[in-house]
Amino acid sequence: MSEEQKKRIDETVQYLNQRKPNAPKIAIVLGSGLGGLTKQIDVMDEIPYTDIPNFPVSTVKGHKGTLIFGKLNGVDIVVLNGRFHYYEGYSMDTVTYPQQVFCGLGVKTIILSNAAGGMNPTFTEGDIMIIRDHINFFGTNPLIGPNDDTLGERFPNMSEVYSHRLIQLARQKANALNIHLQEGVYLGVSGPCFETPAEYRAYHILGADAVGMSTVPEAIVAHYRGMEIFALSVITDLGVVGKVMNASHEEVLAAANAAEPKMVQLICAMLPEM
Ligand code: HPA
């Protein structure tokens, strides 16, 4: 990371450290169509990105653009309500800016959510998939560039990016709540195109169960900075041979909205034990 970038992050962290009403150890990143979780939060402060020094601003429909401090199920959290995507034209530094800031704020655990296309033939629209591992197909990496050894290792070990402990906790809670969970590998692409049938097929052959346009860069940086990660995909459309849908952004948002209550229930149940 460049010295200027480090300075920008420090300024953001300083501003938020002065303004934040609580000291959350857990951050939640909300994916497309999953912003309804915010209705369950006891909000202590909701800060538009435009008020935060050096913070990027999001441009996508269905992504709101506020940082929320509050409590969910009695647990202090900070929520990124609207993430930054590579396809919007942001640099990888900007896409992963919030994770660097969370780390500076003392966050130890991060929950990443997204809407994704399902390629595993056992999946159906509306399923929730716990991300067990990922494949980085962005064609770039947010850690490219000079490494600051005080922040993380030059060659990060990636053998357990998604915490086995938190996956186990999710299975336990989902079971108790009677929520059917899928598990699998998420493949991250730049977008903005949805996949061709041949691409869906190719990614499935490569070992992926779901594909989407986010999460991977964020998980790489959060892991690099030593945070524990839990991530889930809401399957909003299918890229299964013979069932490839003609998905539009509106349909993705609608499917994510429909599955969201399950996701919220699961996260609420997990939070006190995270
Ligand atoms: N592909 C990529 N990203 C997505 C999809 C998809 O099918 N669905 C939701 N986000």
Tab-separated table of all heavy atoms in Angstrom, residues 8 12 15 19 23 28 45 49 51 85 97 102 106 108 120-122 125 154 156 178 184 198 207 218 228 238-239 254:
chain	number	residue	atom	x	y	z
A	8	ARG	N	-4.701	8.318	3.915
A	8	ARG	CA	-6.141	8.504	3.692
A	8	ARG	C	-6.944	7.622	4.654
A	8	ARG	O	-7.926	8.054	5.251
A	8	ARG	CB	-6.506	8.131	2.247
A	8	ARG	CG	-6.278	9.243	1.245
A	8	ARG	CD	-6.962	8.935	-0.088
A	8	ARG	NE	-6.300	7.846	-0.801
A	8	ARG	CZ	-5.293	7.999	-1.658
A	8	ARG	NH1	-4.826	9.212	-1.915
A	8	ARG	NH2	-4.745	6.971	-2.252
A	12	THR	N	-9.663	8.657	7.734
A	12	THR	CA	-11.026	8.124	7.837
A	12	THR	C	-11.239	7.494	9.209
A	12	THR	O	-12.260	7.721	9.869
A	12	THR	CB	-11.270	7.071	6.734
A	12	THR	OG1	-10.966	7.644	5.469
A	12	THR	CG2	-12.710	6.590	6.739
A	15	TYR	N	-11.552	10.105	11.997
A	15	TYR	CA	-12.876	10.743	11.990
A	15	TYR	C	-13.912	9.819	12.621
A	15	TYR	O	-14.687	10.222	13.491
A	15	TYR	CB	-13.279	11.091	10.554
A	15	TYR	CG	-14.721	11.552	10.423
A	15	TYR	CD1	-15.068	12.890	10.615
A	15	TYR	CD2	-15.740	10.642	10.115
A	15	TYR	CE1	-16.388	13.308	10.503
A	15	TYR	CE2	-17.058	11.053	10.000
A	15	TYR	CZ	-17.380	12.386	10.198
A	15	TYR	OH	-18.697	12.784	10.089
A	19	ARG	N	-16.300	9.912	16.022
A	19	ARG	CA	-17.755	10.021	15.871
A	19	ARG	C	-18.516	8.787	16.341
A	19	ARG	O	-19.678	8.875	16.727
A	19	ARG	CB	-18.071	10.305	14.393
A	19	ARG	CG	-19.553	10.372	14.141
A	19	ARG	CD	-19.923	11.141	12.912
A	19	ARG	NE	-21.359	10.970	12.669
A	19	ARG	CZ	-22.025	11.524	11.685
A	19	ARG	NH1	-21.394	12.304	10.827
A	19	ARG	NH2	-23.322	11.317	11.541
A	23	ALA	N	-18.238	0.664	20.111
A	23	ALA	CA	-16.954	0.127	19.633
A	23	ALA	C	-17.145	-1.298	19.127
A	23	ALA	O	-16.730	-2.260	19.769
A	23	ALA	CB	-15.928	0.180	20.754
A	28	ILE	N	-20.570	-5.900	9.298
A	28	ILE	CA	-21.399	-6.632	8.336
A	28	ILE	C	-21.418	-5.851	7.020
A	28	ILE	O	-21.674	-4.644	7.021
A	28	ILE	CB	-22.851	-6.798	8.852
A	28	ILE	CG1	-22.861	-7.509	10.213
A	28	ILE	CG2	-23.702	-7.566	7.840
A	28	ILE	CD1	-24.255	-7.662	10.838
A	45	ASP	N	-26.034	5.481	15.109
A	45	ASP	CA	-25.646	6.549	14.181
A	45	ASP	C	-25.620	5.979	12.768
A	45	ASP	O	-25.140	4.868	12.569
A	45	ASP	CB	-24.265	7.116	14.558
A	45	ASP	CG	-24.021	8.496	13.947
A	45	ASP	OD1	-24.924	9.023	13.247
A	45	ASP	OD2	-22.934	9.062	14.183
A	49	TYR	N	-21.931	8.045	3.367
A	49	TYR	CA	-20.529	7.972	2.949
A	49	TYR	C	-19.982	9.349	2.611
A	49	TYR	O	-18.798	9.629	2.807
A	49	TYR	CB	-20.378	7.060	1.718
A	49	TYR	CG	-20.712	5.602	1.953
A	49	TYR	CD1	-20.981	4.764	0.873
A	49	TYR	CD2	-20.752	5.053	3.233
A	49	TYR	CE1	-21.282	3.421	1.062
A	49	TYR	CE2	-21.069	3.718	3.427
A	49	TYR	CZ	-21.334	2.903	2.336
A	49	TYR	OH	-21.636	1.574	2.516
A	51	ASP	N	-20.344	12.012	4.081
A	51	ASP	CA	-19.902	12.755	5.274
A	51	ASP	C	-18.547	12.281	5.787
A	51	ASP	O	-17.967	12.904	6.669
A	51	ASP	CB	-20.904	12.555	6.434
A	51	ASP	CG	-22.174	13.373	6.261
A	51	ASP	OD1	-22.336	13.962	5.185
A	51	ASP	OD2	-22.990	13.395	7.214
A	85	HIS	N	-18.015	-1.912	-5.926
A	85	HIS	CA	-17.697	-3.014	-6.839
A	85	HIS	C	-16.627	-2.607	-7.829
A	85	HIS	O	-16.573	-1.461	-8.273
A	85	HIS	CB	-18.957	-3.430	-7.613
A	85	HIS	CG	-20.090	-3.864	-6.747
A	85	HIS	ND1	-20.998	-2.973	-6.230
A	85	HIS	CD2	-20.441	-5.086	-6.302
A	85	HIS	CE1	-21.880	-3.638	-5.493
A	85	HIS	NE2	-21.574	-4.917	-5.512
A	97	TYR	N	-11.418	-0.553	0.555
A	97	TYR	CA	-11.197	0.538	1.517
A	97	TYR	C	-11.937	0.301	2.848
A	97	TYR	O	-11.362	0.460	3.920
A	97	TYR	CB	-11.625	1.865	0.881
A	97	TYR	CG	-11.096	3.095	1.565
A	97	TYR	CD1	-9.831	3.580	1.269
A	97	TYR	CD2	-11.860	3.765	2.520
A	97	TYR	CE1	-9.338	4.710	1.910
A	97	TYR	CE2	-11.380	4.883	3.157
A	97	TYR	CZ	-10.120	5.361	2.843
A	97	TYR	OH	-9.643	6.478	3.483
A	102	PHE	N	-12.324	-0.779	8.706
A	102	PHE	CA	-12.848	-1.618	9.799
A	102	PHE	C	-11.699	-2.094	10.678
A	102	PHE	O	-11.793	-2.078	11.905
A	102	PHE	CB	-13.607	-2.827	9.247
A	102	PHE	CG	-14.946	-2.492	8.637
A	102	PHE	CD1	-15.451	-3.233	7.572
A	102	PHE	CD2	-15.717	-1.450	9.127
A	102	PHE	CE1	-16.678	-2.933	7.011
A	102	PHE	CE2	-16.955	-1.138	8.560
A	102	PHE	CZ	-17.433	-1.887	7.498
A	106	GLY	N	-10.824	-1.389	14.911
A	106	GLY	CA	-10.763	-2.448	15.922
A	106	GLY	C	-11.720	-3.599	15.682
A	106	GLY	O	-11.951	-4.418	16.574
A	108	LYS	N	-12.831	-7.158	14.580
A	108	LYS	CA	-12.104	-8.429	14.561
A	108	LYS	C	-12.755	-9.476	13.656
A	108	LYS	O	-12.110	-10.433	13.242
A	108	LYS	CB	-12.036	-9.028	15.987
A	108	LYS	CG	-11.392	-8.119	17.009
A	108	LYS	CD	-9.916	-7.954	16.743
A	108	LYS	CE	-9.249	-7.058	17.780
A	108	LYS	NZ	-8.169	-6.250	17.200
A	120	ASN	N	-24.428	-24.961	-8.885
A	120	ASN	CA	-24.591	-26.325	-8.380
A	120	ASN	C	-26.024	-26.778	-8.688
A	120	ASN	O	-26.979	-26.092	-8.318
A	120	ASN	CB	-24.328	-26.308	-6.872
A	120	ASN	CG	-24.366	-27.682	-6.264
A	120	ASN	OD1	-25.255	-28.476	-6.583
A	120	ASN	ND2	-23.431	-27.958	-5.392
A	121	PRO	N	-26.189	-27.914	-9.375
A	121	PRO	CA	-27.534	-28.335	-9.801
A	121	PRO	C	-28.481	-28.636	-8.640
A	121	PRO	O	-29.701	-28.721	-8.853
A	121	PRO	CB	-27.278	-29.584	-10.650
A	121	PRO	CG	-25.856	-29.957	-10.455
A	121	PRO	CD	-25.125	-28.779	-9.898
A	122	THR	N	-27.953	-28.773	-7.422
A	122	THR	CA	-28.849	-29.021	-6.281
A	122	THR	C	-29.386	-27.709	-5.683
A	122	THR	O	-30.182	-27.738	-4.748
A	122	THR	CB	-28.145	-29.817	-5.160
A	122	THR	OG1	-27.142	-28.979	-4.571
A	122	THR	CG2	-27.503	-31.090	-5.686
A	125	GLU	N	-33.292	-21.139	-6.495
A	125	GLU	CA	-33.367	-19.701	-6.271
A	125	GLU	C	-33.895	-19.444	-4.859
A	125	GLU	O	-34.855	-20.064	-4.432
A	125	GLU	CB	-34.330	-19.148	-7.316
A	125	GLU	CG	-34.210	-17.679	-7.562
A	125	GLU	CD	-35.367	-17.223	-8.444
A	125	GLU	OE1	-35.665	-17.905	-9.436
A	125	GLU	OE2	-35.964	-16.196	-8.100
A	154	ARG	N	3.514	-10.505	3.098
A	154	ARG	CA	3.657	-10.382	1.639
A	154	ARG	C	2.925	-11.513	0.915
A	154	ARG	O	2.260	-11.309	-0.090
A	154	ARG	CB	5.161	-10.377	1.304
A	154	ARG	CG	5.523	-10.492	-0.172
A	154	ARG	CD	5.288	-9.230	-0.994
A	154	ARG	NE	3.920	-8.789	-1.184
A	154	ARG	CZ	3.558	-7.794	-1.994
A	154	ARG	NH1	4.471	-7.129	-2.670
A	154	ARG	NH2	2.305	-7.441	-2.099
A	156	PRO	N	0.281	-14.034	1.820
A	156	PRO	CA	-0.665	-14.531	2.832
A	156	PRO	C	-1.055	-15.994	2.582
A	156	PRO	O	-1.274	-16.398	1.450
A	156	PRO	CB	-1.886	-13.637	2.656
A	156	PRO	CG	-1.449	-12.492	1.825
A	156	PRO	CD	-0.284	-12.951	1.011
A	178	ASN	N	-34.313	-24.321	11.675
A	178	ASN	CA	-34.934	-25.006	10.547
A	178	ASN	C	-34.722	-24.259	9.221
A	178	ASN	O	-35.599	-24.238	8.362
A	178	ASN	CB	-36.432	-25.198	10.821
A	178	ASN	CG	-36.895	-26.551	10.331
A	178	ASN	OD1	-36.091	-27.339	9.821
A	178	ASN	ND2	-38.174	-26.814	10.454
A	184	GLY	N	-20.701	-24.037	-0.183
A	184	GLY	CA	-19.936	-24.210	-1.405
A	184	GLY	C	-18.871	-23.170	-1.646
A	184	GLY	O	-18.541	-22.364	-0.774
A	198	ALA	N	-21.931	-20.807	-21.312
A	198	ALA	CA	-20.626	-21.482	-21.342
A	198	ALA	C	-19.767	-21.092	-20.146
A	198	ALA	O	-19.031	-21.924	-19.596
A	198	ALA	CB	-19.896	-21.153	-22.647
A	207	GLY	N	-14.980	-25.991	-10.215
A	207	GLY	CA	-15.157	-26.276	-8.788
A	207	GLY	C	-15.983	-25.251	-8.045
A	207	GLY	O	-16.068	-25.298	-6.808
A	218	GLU	N	-12.651	-8.298	-0.924
A	218	GLU	CA	-12.878	-7.893	0.469
A	218	GLU	C	-12.384	-8.970	1.430
A	218	GLU	O	-11.763	-8.680	2.453
A	218	GLU	CB	-14.373	-7.632	0.688
A	218	GLU	CG	-14.911	-6.542	-0.232
A	218	GLU	CD	-16.430	-6.574	-0.366
A	218	GLU	OE1	-17.112	-7.219	0.443
A	218	GLU	OE2	-16.943	-5.925	-1.305
A	228	GLU	N	-11.374	-12.431	11.287
A	228	GLU	CA	-12.076	-13.702	11.091
A	228	GLU	C	-13.261	-13.416	10.161
A	228	GLU	O	-13.966	-12.418	10.332
A	228	GLU	CB	-12.561	-14.238	12.448
A	228	GLU	CG	-13.037	-15.666	12.365
A	228	GLU	CD	-13.337	-16.289	13.738
A	228	GLU	OE1	-13.478	-15.556	14.739
A	228	GLU	OE2	-13.448	-17.528	13.792
A	238	LEU	N	-30.098	-18.922	-11.395
A	238	LEU	CA	-29.387	-20.184	-11.614
A	238	LEU	C	-28.614	-20.175	-12.926
A	238	LEU	O	-29.135	-19.755	-13.963
A	238	LEU	CB	-30.370	-21.359	-11.612
A	238	LEU	CG	-31.099	-21.607	-10.293
A	238	LEU	CD1	-32.112	-22.741	-10.460
A	238	LEU	CD2	-30.129	-21.935	-9.166
A	239	GLY	N	-27.381	-20.644	-12.832
A	239	GLY	CA	-26.555	-20.825	-14.022
A	239	GLY	C	-26.307	-22.307	-14.212
A	239	GLY	O	-25.174	-22.746	-14.394
A	254	ALA	N	-34.989	-8.565	-6.454
A	254	ALA	CA	-36.250	-9.103	-5.942
A	254	ALA	C	-36.011	-10.456	-5.255
A	254	ALA	O	-36.531	-10.708	-4.162
A	254	ALA	CB	-37.260	-9.251	-7.074
